[in-house]
Amino acid sequence: MAQSPNTPNGAISAQVFVRFCLRIVVLCVFATLGSVGFGRSLAALLWSSTILCTLAAILRRELPLGSTLTHWDEGAAYGALYCLTLTINQASGS
């Protein structure tokens, strides 16, 4: 989905932020349904989201350090949440 050149950068970043928040909600819902526990399910879903966002950024030829939020930024956020989830899971002994 290509953005028109007249679309302001703030609007594009807002779309990415809303998309990220909605996906987090969906991932949490699916993680609650996982049979291996919430933490492990969420970690697996976050890892797959990181990979999918990276692939989407590559296919769309997005710049990794652009002035707007992109799939690269979204993938980095999922990766950070994945690391945080792993750390919490290991600390709690699950």
Side-chain angles (χ1 to χ4, degrees):
M1 175 170 90
Q3 297 291 330
S4 83
N6 298 330
T7 305
N9 289 343
I12 295 170
S13 292
Q15 289 174 351
V16 173
F17 183 72
V18 169
R19 180 177 67 211
F20 174 78
C21 291
L22 289 175
R23 285 183 182 171
I24 286 294
V25 169
V26 169
L27 292 178
C28 287
V29 168
F30 279 118
T32 59
L33 303 174
S35 62
V36 294
F38 179 79
R40 291 179 66 191
S41 296
L42 184 61
L45 291 169
L46 287 169
W47 179 246
S48 63
S49 295
T50 302
I51 293 170
L52 290 174
C53 282
T54 303
L55 290 175
I58 291 169
L59 291 174
R60 295 184 70 168
R61 297 187 177 124
E62 294 176 338
L63 297 175
L65 298 173
S67 61
T68 61
L69 294 176
T70 63
H71 282 95
W72 288 111
D73 303 308
E74 198 175 350
Y78 287 130
L81 288 173
Y82 168 74
C83 292
L84 179 64
T85 304
L86 276 184
T87 303
I88 292 171
N89 285 343
Q90 289 176 353
S92 67
S94 345

